[in-house]
Structures are given as C-alpha cells and as structure tokens.
C-alpha cells in the first residue's frame, strides 16, 4: 500500500507544472493565472531573472516546466540549457515597452540614443565634446586639459549637447533596476555610445559596456524604483524641475506628461511599429518540446501543452488581454496567429483544441 | 567558396567587374568610407573598363551594383567587430584582389542584437538580396560566430578576384595549458631570470 501511494505521489509530482517567471511579470501572472485551469494548479518559482533562468535549466529535463522572462535568451544560453537530447523552443508573447516623457511642455523634442547617452554618461568621448555646442573657449579648455579618449561629462543643459535642443538644465529620472534599467542600458546607452570611435577601440565587450553604462554621479540624474516600475509617471510628475523620465507605455495615456519621440516615433503614433522601437524588450516563453508531446496512445495533453494553450489565448496575450492590462504591448493579430500555428505543429496540442 | 570561375566566363567576369565599378564610381557617395574607397581604387587600378554586357548573375556575386550597397556591406562588416587591415593586390593576366580583416572588438549582446536588426533591414531594402549571395553569407556567418563562446574568428580574408571567396581562421577563446606547456614556460622563465641576473652583474662589474 505504501509503495502504491509513493508511486502515485511521484507520478503526481512528475505531472505537475512549474512556471519559472521573472519578477517584473509575476504580478501580472498571479492576477490572471487563477482564471485558467492548468495555470491555476502550477507551482510558481520567481527570482531575479538570471537565477530564474538557472533554476529552470537545472530542474530535471523530464519535468513539466515553463520559463517566462522579459528578455530573449542568447543562442549560447539556450545551448547550455538544452544540454543533450533536448530541444528548447522560445516564443515571444508580448513586449515590455517604456517611453521617454517629460513633466514640462518645454522639453518636447525628438530624443535619440546618442543624445541620451551624452546627457547621462559619467564620461563622454573627446569627439563628442569637439562636436558639441559648448562655448568654444570651454570646449578648447576641456580638450587641451587631457589627452584621454573619455572626458568627464561637461554638459549642463540640453543645448550644450546640440544647438537645436532647448536651453534647459539636464534632469533625468531613470529606473535603478529591473527590465526597465536593462532596456535603458542596452537599448539606449549602449546604442548611443556605439558609434563613437573612442568606444569602438575598446576591445573587450564587458569593458565597453561598463564604460557606456556608467551614469554621471551629480544632481542631473535621479533614480526611480525600476524593479516594480509601477508608477513611474507619478515619480515624473512629482519632480520639481523640468525632467525627462521613462514611463511604462500605458501611463502615457494617463495625461499630465508630455511624451517625447524616440528615434522619431512614440507608442501613441497611429502607425507605431513596436518591433522597431528601441526602448523595448520581448516577453518570451521557453519550453522543451518533449514536455509538450502527448502521453500514451490517446495523445493526452501534458500540463506544459495545456498551459501553453492557455498562455497563447486571447484572454492572455490579446489586445484586451492580461498582458496588455499588466502594461505590456501586445503583438498584432498576425503575430498571435503565427504563434498558435507554431504550437499546432507540436504533438499533443490538438487534443486541447488550440485555434 | 563560391566557385564561378569557368574558363569561358572569366573574361565576362573581368568585364562585368570593370563595368560594375565604372558605373559605381559615377554614383559614388560623397561620404564614402575608407574601406569602400580603398576597394574601389584598388580594383580600378587593376582592371580596365571595357564596354561589355553585364551578366546579372555575376553582377550580384560581388558587392552589388550600387555604391550604397557596397558602402552598407562594409559598414555591417565593421559593425561585426572587424576592421580592414590591408588589401593584397596582384596585377597581371589573372589579377588577384584580397581584403584582409582583423578583429577589432568583441561584440556584446546588445551589439549582436543591433547587428541582426541591421542585417535584416539591409535585406529588406535591397531588392537583389539573396541568401546565397556571398556578402549575405559573410554577414550571417560573422553574426553567428560572435555568439559561440568557445571560439572566435581572429581575422578573415575576402577574395574578390579571380574567384570570390571567404577564408577565416578560428582560434579558441581560452588556451588550454598542458603539463608540457607549463613545464616549458617555467623553464623559459628560469632562463630569462638567469639572463637578467647575468646582465645586471655584468653591468655592475663594468662600473
């Protein structure tokens, strides 16, 4: 009797689903998972994204498990996770999108990654100072004072960087952690500094990233809670000086702030293309194909297969779905249809009736 | 390597390359990159410009038929973390042109993602883009290699003439020291220290 119970407990453990989820997605997931049959029974494992990924990869390969994070895994990371005789699939569910905005209508200009980098970096390249709008005497003093490729950031106003920008003091509100900070560092700072020859000469990638993402340590930069990043709009409105900050895209609709275009576009534009917008990260789901294959001759759907069907439903990723309500930018209809078509090719989902 | 050098096609190839470059020269951008300029000038000195009919297939084998295309290709190779070090040229009955690139920097994850997007945009904007085309293969290859952690491409050569091709050298990212290697290095260090001692003792004797 004890043996039979032990076997049935093991079977139940094997059939249970574990969802490994990044912290910025957890609240959205918890608010909607109870509405779905399989997801409501799933065990949830959430930690900082690198630890979440590690836990997912280290869990036994045979387990029913999913990974949902707000970034894409690199090819190397997927290979290390797959190991032998396992095939991992990654799909994009939605997009984590932030947009620049200001609390003053006088700060309504078209921002780009290079300008943002020059405004926020601790040190800037010599060539940037040579091309800047600083008074010529100050420019010469700075360039003659040192032979270093990078010089301590001298820009006080936006107009110091470029003559077309407003003559207003640089004040920036930036996230201090989470996916929002990764977007700011990778998609804006790294992108902004990439074009400078002084930066290109740094061979080691890690050293280049450190140089590009070193924020200035003066009063021009203030940090907001990036881990949750739930009310970034309110933080911006409470700033006393004309300030530019980053807010979640639905908060742009809340009013009171002036959206800035980033590389010529803003999420409020009619023909907005989220895939080409720089300040975004994909919300991705990863699973092993073996976990989706049906069991037995009847091809009964596995917990992984069932939960994937629930996650790809319109209730979850549609334009009125949970992810959108959680502040994430939904994929368009064609992209959502393509996702479901991919899954239909995997055995076991036909039984669930994914359409 | 893409082998298109059938004997009867060789004169057409030379003529096509010459006419290609003659027309490209007329359309050259004002702000041409040094790499693109070097390539154009090198080939112009080697090949005359006969007026032959261009075979469209051969035209797309090299860097496309517009200076924009060539400029963009060189820019993307540079964005892959490689810079042009030299161009080897041999003039003669069968001219040879080879461009030698060396790795100038590693790519970060952000660099790779940006490069993948740029390559995709390049493919969208160029109506002659074909995945099998040599420059398409080079770009995709450089991107994929940058993602593999164990090995890196220290440098590569692009052969333009007589046969378009691509040759590269891969090397491990981490050197594995065998016991013999460690023993040899220790012995070399000992010899070097003894030599230094001897030199300094010779120097003090003189004084």
């Amino acid at each position: 009797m004890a043996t039979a119970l032990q076997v049935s407990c093991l079977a139940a453990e094997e059939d249970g689903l574990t969802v490994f989820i990044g912290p910025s997605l957890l609240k959205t997931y918890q608010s909607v998972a109870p509405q779905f049959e399989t997801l409501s029974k799933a065990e949830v494992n959430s930690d900082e994204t690198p630890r979440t990924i590690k836990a997912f990869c280290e869990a036994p390969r045979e387990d029913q498990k999913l990974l949902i994070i707000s970034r894409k895994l690199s090819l190397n990371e997927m290979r290390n996770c797959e190991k032998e005789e396992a095939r991992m699939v990654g799909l994009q569910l939605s997009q984590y999108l932030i947009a620049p905005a200001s609390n003053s209508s006088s700060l309504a200009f078209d921002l780009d990654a290079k300008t943002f980098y020059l405004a926020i970096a601790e040190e800037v390249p010599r060539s940037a100072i040579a091309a800047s709008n600083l008074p010529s005497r100050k420019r010469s003093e700075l360039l003659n004072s040192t032979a270093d490729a990078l010089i301590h950031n001298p820009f006080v106003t936006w107009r110091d960087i470029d003559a077309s920008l407003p003559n207003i003091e640089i004040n920036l509100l930036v996230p201090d952690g989470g996916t929002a900070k990764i977007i700011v560092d990778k998609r804006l700072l790294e992108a902004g500094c990439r074009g400078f020859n002084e930066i290109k000469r740094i061979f080691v990638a890690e050293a280049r990233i450190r140089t590009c993402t070193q924020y200035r340590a003066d009063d021009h930069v203030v940090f907001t809670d990036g881990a949750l990043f739930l009310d970034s709009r309110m933080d911006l409105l409470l700033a006393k000086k004309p300030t530019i900050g980053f807010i979640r895209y639905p908060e742009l609709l809340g009013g009171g702030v002036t959206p800035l275009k980033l590389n010529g576009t803003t999420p409020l534009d009619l023909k907005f293309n989220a895939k080409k917008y720089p300040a975004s990260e994909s919300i991705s789901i990863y699973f092993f194909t073996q976990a989706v294959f049906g069991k037995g001759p009847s091809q009964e759907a596995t917990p992984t297969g069932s939960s994937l069907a629930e996650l790809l439903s319109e209730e979850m990723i549609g334009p009125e779905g949970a992810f959108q309500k959680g502040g994430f930018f939904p994929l368009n209809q064609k992209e959502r249809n393509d996702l479901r078509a991919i899954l239909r090719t995997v055995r076991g989902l036909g039984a669930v009736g994914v359409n | 390597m893409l082998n298109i050098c059938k004997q009867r096609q060789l004169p057409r190839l030379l003529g096509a390359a010459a006419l290609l470059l003659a027309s490209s020269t007329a359309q050259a951008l004002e702000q041409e990159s040094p790499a693109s300029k070097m390539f154009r000038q090198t080939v112009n000195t080697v090949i005359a410009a006969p007026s032959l009919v261009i075979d469209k297939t051969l035209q797309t084998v090299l860097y496309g038929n517009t200076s924009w295309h060539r400029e963009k290709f060189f820019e993307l190779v540079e964005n892959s973390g490689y810079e042009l070090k030299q161009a080897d040229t041999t003039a003669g009955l069968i001219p040879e042109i080879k461009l030698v690139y060396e790795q100038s920097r590693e790519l970060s994850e952000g660099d790779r993602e940006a490069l993948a997007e740029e390559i995709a945009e390049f493919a969208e904007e160029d109506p002659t883009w074909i995945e099998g085309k040599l420059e398409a293969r080079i770009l995709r290859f450089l991107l994929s290699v940058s993602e593999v952690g164990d090995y890196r491409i220290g440098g590569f050569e692009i052969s333009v003439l007589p046969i378009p091709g691509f040759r590269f050298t891969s090397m491990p990212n981490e050197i594995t020291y065998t016991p013999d290697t460690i023993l040899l290095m220790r012995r070399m260090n000992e010899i070097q220290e003894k030599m230094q001692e001897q030199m300094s003792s010779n120097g003090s004797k003189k004084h």
Side-chain angles (χ1 to χ4, degrees):
Chain A
M1 186 65 174
T3 308
L5 271 175
Q6 192 178 18
V7 168
S8 67
C9 285
L10 281 174
E13 204 172 352
E14 280 175 9
D15 286 348
L17 173 74
T18 307
V19 174
F20 295 83
I21 188 161
S24 50
L25 305 167
L26 182 62
K27 197 169 175 183
T28 301
Y29 175 86
Q30 284 173 333
S31 69
V32 73
Q35 302 165 26
F36 294 96
E37 191 187 332
T38 316
L39 292 179
S40 60
K41 294 177 199 162
E43 186 182 323
V44 177
N45 185 320
S46 181
D47 201 340
E48 283 185 15
T49 301
R51 284 203 281 264
T52 304
I53 296 168
K54 191 166 182 276
F56 170 78
C57 295
E58 287 176 355
R61 208 167 51 234
E62 302 74 27
D63 281 5
Q64 295 288 313
K65 54 181 183 175
L66 291 173
L67 173 68
I68 309 175
I69 49 172
S70 53
R71 71 170 179 90
K72 284 183 194 168
L73 294 180
S74 69
L75 202 60
N76 249 358
E77 285 172 312
M78 284 183 73
R79 281 185 189 147
N80 289 338
C81 200
E82 277 179 340
K83 298 189 183 81
E84 297 165 3
E85 297 175 6
R87 284 294 172 267
M88 200 166 156
V89 175
L91 301 171
Q92 182 183 359
L93 294 183
S94 185
Q95 276 192 270
Y96 190 118
L97 208 143
I98 60 175
S102 76
N103 58 358
S104 166
S105 55
S106 55
L107 273 177
F109 58 88
D110 192 348
L111 187 66
D112 59 78
K114 186 173 147 191
T115 303
F116 178 70
Y117 160 70
L118 293 176
I120 201 172
E122 168 78 8
E123 293 182 321
V124 295
R126 293 179 70 85
S127 55
I129 291 178
S132 71
N133 193 44
L134 286 168
S136 55
R137 178 180 274 185
K138 187 172 181 186
R139 211 162 50 226
S140 306
E141 271 174 22
L142 284 167
L143 292 173
N144 294 332
S145 65
T146 176
D148 291 345
L150 297 169
I151 299 174
H152 189 77
N153 194 331
F155 303 128
V156 174
T157 69
W158 291 100
R159 190 163 287 175
D160 287 342
I161 298 174
D162 190 285
S164 64
L165 299 177
N167 192 20
I168 296 175
E169 189 187 353
I170 293 171
N171 287 300
L172 290 160
L173 189 66
V174 289
D176 68 351
T179 305
K181 183 176 192 303
I182 291 171
I183 293 174
V184 167
D185 284 356
K186 192 161 76 167
R187 304 267 185 232
L188 294 175
L189 290 181
E190 263 196 76
C193 78
R194 191 174 285 139
F196 291 102
N197 285 333
E198 294 92 333
I199 303 295
K200 283 183 190 176
R201 282 187 209 120
I202 303 173
F203 186 92
V204 178
E206 292 282 342
R208 218 163 48 242
I209 293 171
R210 265 199 308 275
T211 304
C212 291
T213 58
Q214 190 73 34
Y215 291 31
R216 61 198 300 179
D218 50 29
D219 296 339
H220 293 284
V221 176
V222 174
F223 294 97
T224 182
D225 185 354
L228 295 176
F229 211 53
L230 292 172
D231 209 356
S232 42
R233 177 176 150 273
M234 190 51 65
D235 288 341
L236 184 59
L237 290 172
L238 290 173
K240 290 174 185 164
K241 301 177 188 176
T243 300
I244 290 177
F246 285 89
I247 64 177
R248 297 282 294 277
Y249 103 91
E251 294 183 280
L252 287 175
L253 306 169
V257 294
T258 303
L260 267 67
K261 290 193 176 187
L262 184 60
N263 290 9
T265 186
T266 157
L268 301 177
D269 289 345
L270 279 174
K271 291 185 181 177
F272 176 66
N273 185 342
K275 292 223 156 165
K276 295 203 172 178
Y277 189 68
S280 66
E281 261 295 359
S282 99
I283 294 172
S284 309
I285 186 166
Y286 293 90
F287 57 94
F288 288 94
T289 52
Q290 289 91 329
V292 181
F293 291 163
K295 290 182 178 177
S298 63
Q299 294 287 297
E300 190 184 321
T302 62
T304 304
S306 303
S307 60
L308 279 168
E310 289 169 359
L311 282 163
L312 295 191
S313 64
E314 287 293 286
E315 288 82 5
M316 190 60 96
I317 64 170
E320 304 291 326
F323 271 105
Q324 192 275 339
K325 286 178 183 150
F328 305 109
F329 201 89
L331 303 177
N332 62 38
Q333 183 67 62
K334 181 182 179 306
E335 286 162 339
R336 298 198 302 277
N337 291 343
D338 287 345
L339 280 183
R340 293 164 195 145
I342 290 168
L343 284 181
R344 270 200 295 276
T345 66
V346 184
R347 276 191 296 151
L349 285 183
V352 184
V354 175
N355 293 316
Chain B
M1 286 199 18
L2 182 65
N3 186 353
I4 57 144
C5 191
K6 294 181 184 176
Q7 203 151 10
R8 61 185 173 87
Q9 287 195 20
L10 185 55
R12 294 174 76 198
L13 168 61
L14 293 175
L19 201 59
L20 161 75
L21 291 158
S23 62
S24 295
T25 304
Q27 296 167 24
L29 297 171
E30 286 180 10
Q31 299 296 331
E32 199 174 4
S33 74
S36 178
K37 196 174 173 184
M38 191 201 297
F39 168 69
R40 182 171 53 76
Q41 287 172 344
T42 303
V43 179
N44 276 343
T45 61
V46 173
I47 299 174
S51 54
L52 294 177
V53 174
I54 296 173
D55 179 356
K56 281 205 189 284
T57 309
L58 293 175
Q59 189 181 48
T60 57
V61 163
L62 297 173
Y63 304 120
N65 60 348
T66 62
S67 56
W68 164 81
H69 187 125
R70 188 171 61 246
E71 183 76 18
K72 191 67 188 169
F73 172 73
F74 280 119
E75 183 189 322
L76 290 176
V77 170
E78 195 185 303
N79 292 349
S80 305
Y82 295 87
E83 60 179 9
L84 184 66
K85 276 298 177 188
Q86 64 190 54
D88 294 338
T89 318
T90 309
L93 186 63
I94 302 175
E96 286 182 33
I97 298 175
K98 198 163 55 179
L99 303 175
V100 181
Y101 282 84
E102 264 182 24
Q103 190 180 19
S104 59
R105 65 186 184 280
E106 294 172 348
L107 293 192
S108 66
E109 188 188 318
D111 293 335
R112 280 196 291 276
E113 287 175 14
L115 181 63
E117 285 169 17
E118 284 180 316
I119 293 173
E121 277 175 21
F122 185 32
E124 273 178 32
E125 285 168 19
D126 178 17
T128 67
W129 177 273
I130 307 166
E131 276 302 321
K133 208 161 61 170
L134 184 59
E135 55 264 49
R137 288 185 186 177
I138 291 171
L139 290 174
R140 297 260 191 240
F141 172 76
L142 292 177
L143 180 62
S144 65
V145 145
S146 71
E147 292 188 55
V148 177
D150 298 331
Y151 286 86
R152 65 183 180 94
I153 303 295
F156 60 87
E157 295 172 0
I158 298 176
S159 300
V160 180
L161 291 172
I163 301 169
F166 177 59
R167 186 177 137 186
F168 63 91
T169 309
S170 63
M171 56 191 74
N173 265 328
E174 287 176 11
I175 300 171
T176 307
Y177 290 100
T178 64
D180 289 342
T181 315
I182 293 169
L183 204 63
L184 184 63
M185 286 173 68
R186 273 194 198 145
R187 186 72 186 125
M188 285 170 66
N189 281 341
E190 284 166 15
I191 293 171
Q192 191 177 10
E193 279 166 16
K194 279 188 184 167
M195 282 175 65
Q196 279 176 349
E197 277 173 23
Q198 202 164 11
M199 281 167 64
S200 54
S201 64
N202 285 346
S204 59
K205 276 181 190 171
K206 279 182 185 174
H207 290 115

